[in-house]
Amino acid sequence: MRRMNMVQAINLALDEEMGRDDRVIALGQDIGVNGGVFRVTDGLHTKYGEDRVIDTPLAESGILGTSIGMAIAGLRPVAEMQFSGFSYLMLGQLEGHAARFRGRTHGKFTVPLVVRMPYGGGVRALEHHSESHEATYAHIPGVKVVIPSTPSNARGLLIAAIRDPDPVVFMEPKCSYRAFREEVPEKEQGFEIGKAQVVKGGDDLTVITWGAMMRPTLRAIEEIQQHRKVSIELIDLLTISPMDGDTIAASVAKTGRCVVVQEAPKSFGPASEIIATINDKVLMHLEAPVRRVTGYDTTMPYFGRENDFMPNADRIRRAIEDTVDF
Amino acid sequence: MHRSETYTGTGECPASKPADSIGLDSPPGGLSEDQGFRISHLQVLDEFGQVDEQWEPDLSSEDLTRLYRAMVLARAVDDRMLKLQRQGRIGTFPLSVGQEAAACGPALAMTAKDWFVGSFRELGGRLMRGEPIENLLLYYNGYEEGNGFPGGDRMLPISVIIGAQTLHAVGIAHAMKLRGENDSAVVCFLGDGATSQGDFHEAMNFASVWQAPVVFICMNNQWAISVPREKQTHSRTLAQKAIAYDMPGVQVDGNDALATYSATKEALDRARAGGGPTFIEAVTYRMMMHTTADDPSRYQPAEQLEVWKKRDPLPRFRDYLTAKGIWSDEREAELEAETKQRIEDAVKAFESRTDFRPDAPFDHVFGTTHLGVEEQRAEFLGNLRKESSDA
């Protein structure tokens, strides 16, 4: 067991996979000598050399497009987008090519690559550095979207993503990068892409969230349980797409009440998809409307206002209590 | 002068021809040295089939025949597919007519270990790399199975999105280098329109920075659907774009299969020896519509087409082979009959295929099984059953 933060845990996963499999290479802007602007790839350049930890030219489409070629030719590229806000420049390569090679060649050519990117607000950053647009990627068939929430699951899920046969967008909640440490086991834990995790069992209400929203959600649950007796089940989605509808449905069938917490803008996001899934599978079990606690449908404001726009423990607590009391 | 060391100014024509003879507007400029750069232009076989022996590649009769047969086959497949499309038996497709030498010459220069990364107007090259005609027909009739043929493991399917494939080619080439496959390089085709795309410039830059073993072959066919080459770029040649990336850039007569072969061979040898990427501008002409959905009479000057018809890559190559004593009218007649039969066999095989599972797309969403995908497959098949029972 080692105590580490999420940056160290992601670094550990990269190190473990690069050590295990020489097809795994990392590439991106400033990831080599500098170790990445968040230091996620710190030390890997020295350990594995510039052929396997590649400082690329500053071109997001170029990074993903060449990663596609490398993946087709048998490597396992792990590409870094420096911030998710810059990643839209590679969207054409992701949707038009990475996501499609398997289908359009009926499995003859596949694209096993990972695109890592820090996402989300809460670190008082410049504009374009705080967005939470996982839905943009989750809407592309053939792409998997994974969002860890803790050092342990970041390490386990990144290993799973690197070994996965498909393109995986791996979105790292940057405000959780160094926010806390936890024990990460020596031996890797099995995390399966496409599976949500029931973090806390409960009978009265289900809360579903992911990524950076796990921490304010945990705080909200704690606050509620300090003053009233309510049994809350907490689900960490972990994989946005393909979504684990069964875990969601099983929980809501049991509790009959659900709140979804999403950092991203309100409309057309994973929260909407979760509610649609509940509607499809367990509508008749509901005892209250499913509530969403989300960002707003505005451009992410500059950091002077970001705390007011992002869901916080207080908003989450009120939504949970309103739903319990409905 | 067949290997011109001085750029002649039009960017559209072989250096040995004055511009007014080819029906294009640009005057022969002539780039003086004080303008800072030169682009060489290679032509081995002129439009009358006369070979410049100084630059004639050392190819066996078998290779020369193979090259000619591939160009003839490609022309015939295009011709047959156009008829099939007009009869509603296949869907929309892009034609390669006029560009056979620009695709087949490079394909002849490649080994089985080299990767072929195409755009969508390299039909003859694809056929030479082993793509079955039946699969082309499947693809253009709307079935992904067309891309899934066995063999051809080092040939990507066509790239419909303009220029995107250039980055894939660089990635593959860099992977070859990282994996120590020193006997493998990548040939990447693109069109003149692709040189306007950001991905193209990113690919040129990545290839250059990484010194990746990749050969870009830009088929400058003068048109991107209706937009002529001079509206695509103010550059006087496309080859000169290589200069900014500090890689060799040459212009070749794209209708001269010996020139496209030689330039590609030289570039591939250099790439495999660690000499990095090359950019080749193959000056050619799109003799037919962009795709079967296009009507070039709206924008293409008829007199320009007439001029380029005289530069057709096929007759000049036939004349060359005949002069060398390895081709004859009899062989031509045999080839014509054989080609026709081969295409008809493929059409028959394609039209008798019945092994399509409607739900096959659900097999290939992911490489792993997911419940959501399987639920939708069941829903889809259920809907099909309902529709057929309603009918």
Side-chain angles (χ1 to χ4, degrees):
Chain A
M1 287 280 197
R2 288 161 287 180
R3 278 186 76 76
M4 59 179 74
N5 63 32
M6 190 184 285
V7 166
Q8 293 166 317
I10 293 170
N11 182 279
L12 172 67
L14 286 167
D15 191 3
E16 286 174 321
E17 284 304 284
M18 292 187 77
R20 187 187 64 86
D21 182 352
D22 64 10
R23 297 173 304 167
V24 179
I25 63 157
L27 71 164
Q29 298 158 16
D30 305 298
I31 70 155
V33 177
N34 192 42
V37 295
F38 287 100
R39 304 289 178 262
V40 170
T41 51
D42 194 28
L44 299 178
H45 184 262
T46 310
K47 186 165 178 183
Y48 296 104
E50 63 181 11
D51 280 352
R52 292 187 66 198
V53 183
I54 305 170
D55 272 323
T56 65
L58 206 167
E60 287 77 11
S61 187
I63 292 168
L64 194 69
T66 54
S67 295
I68 291 169
M70 292 189 217
I72 285 172
L75 298 181
R76 294 267 172 165
V78 183
E80 177 177 301
M81 298 289 130
Q82 199 161 74
F83 287 89
S84 69
F86 309 148
S87 68
Y88 311 115
L89 291 162
M90 62 80 180
L91 198 51
Q93 284 288 347
L94 187 74
E95 197 281 341
H97 306 281
R100 288 171 180 249
F101 262 107
R102 175 184 293 282
R104 68 194 291 256
T105 63
H106 274 204
K108 180 173 174 178
F109 290 108
T110 60
V111 185
L113 60 77
V114 180
V115 199
R116 296 179 34 249
M117 58 180 84
Y119 84 95
V123 298
R124 300 177 64 79
L126 272 173
E127 62 179 325
H128 303 293
H129 289 67
S130 302
E131 289 69 20
S132 181
H133 284 179
E134 61 271 29
T136 303
Y137 297 111
H139 203 66
I140 304 172
V143 169
K144 294 170 177 170
V145 182
V146 172
I147 302 185
S149 61
T150 69
S152 281
N153 63 35
R155 185 255 206 137
L157 284 165
L158 183 55
I159 288 173
I162 292 170
R163 295 179 191 177
D164 197 88
D166 297 310
V168 179
V169 174
F170 193 85
M171 301 181 73
E172 299 165 4
K174 71 172 89 68
C175 84
S176 304
Y177 264 161
R178 294 176 188 278
F180 62 102
R181 290 167 185 269
E182 70 176 7
E183 299 289 339
V184 173
E186 289 292 336
K187 202 164 166 288
E188 70 181 64
Q189 296 162 288
F191 276 89
E192 195 180 334
I193 290 175
K195 289 274 181 263
Q197 190 181 16
V198 178
V199 178
K200 294 160 72 81
D203 298 319
D204 300 332
L205 178 136
T206 302
V207 184
I208 303 169
T209 190
W210 56 95
M213 289 295 104
M214 277 296 286
R215 301 195 76 218
T217 301
L218 281 164
R219 268 202 305 281
I221 292 171
E222 204 176 299
E223 284 170 22
I224 292 167
Q225 288 176 334
Q226 274 169 10
H227 68 265
R228 62 190 287 185
K229 194 169 160 14
V230 51
S231 168
I232 296 172
E233 181 144 302
L234 174 61
I235 294 176
D236 187 347
L237 201 55
L238 297 177
T239 298
I240 305 300
S241 178
M243 191 175 275
D244 182 359
D246 272 11
T247 296
I248 295 168
S251 177
V252 176
K254 177 176 66 175
T255 62
R257 295 171 199 270
C258 182
V259 171
V260 187
V261 184
Q262 162 183 296
E263 179 176 342
K266 183 171 187 174
S267 305
F268 307 102
S272 311
E273 187 56 39
I274 288 167
I275 294 169
T277 299
I278 291 168
N279 189 41
D280 286 345
K281 291 178 183 277
V282 287
L283 177 71
M284 301 313 284
H285 292 82
L286 285 181
E287 290 167 32
V290 181
R291 288 283 296 268
R292 279 180 286 179
V293 185
T294 70
Y296 300 95
D297 293 344
T298 68
T299 298
M300 182 71 178
Y302 295 177
F303 67 79
R305 293 191 177 86
E306 71 178 344
N307 287 342
D308 294 336
F309 274 69
M310 291 169 66
N312 55 30
D314 192 51
R315 274 170 66 195
I316 298 166
R317 181 181 54 74
R318 280 186 276 123
I320 291 173
E321 294 196 303
D322 286 353
T323 305
V324 170
D325 298 336
F326 181 82
Chain B
M1 181 177 64
H2 289 291
R3 183 155 193 156
S4 164
E5 288 303 325
T6 308
Y7 167 64
T8 61
T10 68
E12 286 88 353
C13 68
S16 53
K17 307 293 184 298
D20 57 3
S21 75
I22 61 159
L24 293 168
D25 296 337
S26 318
L31 189 69
S32 64
E33 282 187 58
D34 62 346
Q35 283 173 284
F37 64 89
R38 291 177 170 201
I39 294 297
S40 70
H41 181 101
L42 178 65
Q43 183 190 58
V44 183
L45 200 58
D46 72 13
E47 66 185 84
F48 308 105
Q50 298 294 312
V51 68
D52 181 338
E53 287 171 6
Q54 188 193 347
W55 300 105
E56 187 180 10
D58 183 21
L59 283 169
S60 66
S61 303
E62 289 72 30
D63 277 341
L64 290 170
T65 308
R66 182 172 170 236
L67 187 48
Y68 181 60
R69 290 169 63 93
M71 294 199 288
V72 168
L73 179 63
R75 181 71 58 93
V77 169
D78 262 330
D79 184 56
R80 186 73 182 97
M81 282 174 70
L82 182 58
K83 292 193 179 81
L84 290 171
Q85 193 277 334
R86 295 305 192 226
Q87 292 163 356
R89 291 158 72 185
I90 62 169
T92 303
F93 79 98
L95 294 93
S96 302
V97 175
Q99 299 179 217
E100 293 86 351
C104 296
L108 185 69
M110 296 169 71
T111 73
K113 289 187 169 176
D114 294 326
W115 286 75
F116 185 109
V117 178
S119 173
F120 50 73
R121 231 182 276 286
E122 306 88 25
L123 173 59
R126 289 192 174 279
L127 296 170
M128 285 177 77
R129 295 290 290 182
E131 179 149 352
I133 299 165
E134 181 189 339
N135 284 70
L136 280 166
L137 296 168
L138 279 173
Y139 176 83
Y140 286 118
N141 203 37
Y143 289 94
E144 292 88 348
E145 282 85 347
N147 287 331
F149 58 93
D153 291 339
R154 293 201 161 189
M155 177 164 66
L156 297 194
I158 69 166
S159 177
V160 174
I161 295 178
I162 301 299
Q165 77 281 6
T166 55
L167 284 167
H168 310 157
V170 176
I172 292 170
H174 196 46
M176 292 299 106
K177 190 176 166 181
L178 293 178
R179 294 171 66 116
E181 288 196 32
N182 298 327
D183 53 353
S184 298
V186 181
V187 171
C188 176
F189 292 91
L190 61 145
D192 43 306
T195 65
S196 298
Q197 289 279 10
D199 275 0
F200 162 72
H201 290 278
E202 293 186 20
M204 292 285 278
N205 189 44
F206 274 65
S208 173
V209 170
W210 289 345
Q211 287 296 289
V214 57
V215 180
F216 297 104
I217 299 177
C218 178
M219 288 200 188
N220 172 9
N221 71 7
Q222 318 301 334
W223 294 95
I225 305 189
S226 70
V227 177
R229 149 69 182 81
E230 63 271 17
K231 285 187 181 170
Q232 203 63 247
T233 173
H234 189 64
S235 303
R236 283 159 293 186
T237 66
L238 301 180
Q240 76 197 57
K241 292 178 189 293
I243 295 170
Y245 300 100
D246 201 21
M247 75 170 79
V250 295
Q251 201 181 57
V252 302
D253 180 347
N255 286 6
D256 167 4
L258 296 182
T260 61
Y261 165 81
S262 293
T264 309
K265 176 80 166 53
E266 183 185 306
L268 279 172
D269 288 345
R270 180 166 52 240
R272 293 193 203 100
T278 299
F279 183 86
I280 298 170
E281 175 188 358
V283 182
T284 180
Y285 196 76
R286 200 191 78 210
M287 289 171 70
M288 302 285 278
M289 58 287 274
H290 157 67
T291 67
T292 49
D294 175 40
D295 172 13
S297 71
R298 294 173 63 86
Y299 54 82
Q300 191 181 49
E303 59 278 15
Q304 193 185 77
L305 179 61
E306 286 312 308
V307 169
W308 278 92
K309 276 183 181 168
K310 294 181 188 134
R311 303 222 165 86
D312 191 319
L314 269 63
R316 75 167 87 170
F317 203 79
R318 184 170 60 237
D319 291 348
Y320 166 67
L321 293 187
T322 305
K324 282 183 87 76
I326 55 179
W327 203 250
S328 62
D329 289 348
E330 293 74 45
R331 290 201 70 177
E332 183 72 16
E334 279 168 29
L335 178 60
E336 203 175 303
E338 181 195 319
T339 302
K340 197 173 170 203
Q341 190 57 49
R342 191 171 158 194
I343 294 170
E344 284 322 302
D345 290 348
V347 172
K348 214 170 280 173
F350 150 70
E351 292 195 322
S352 62
R353 280 283 292 266
T354 54
D355 55 336
F356 304 114
R357 275 176 35 247
D359 60 323
F362 292 93
D363 296 349
H364 302 290
V365 180
F366 295 119
T368 46
T369 305
H370 293 278
L371 194 66
V373 175
E374 294 312 315
E375 283 173 354
Q376 290 188 28
R377 183 203 298 270
E379 183 188 337
F380 166 77
L381 289 172
N383 283 333
L384 280 191
R385 276 193 296 274
K386 279 178 207 142
E387 281 158 27
S388 61
S389 64
D390 289 349

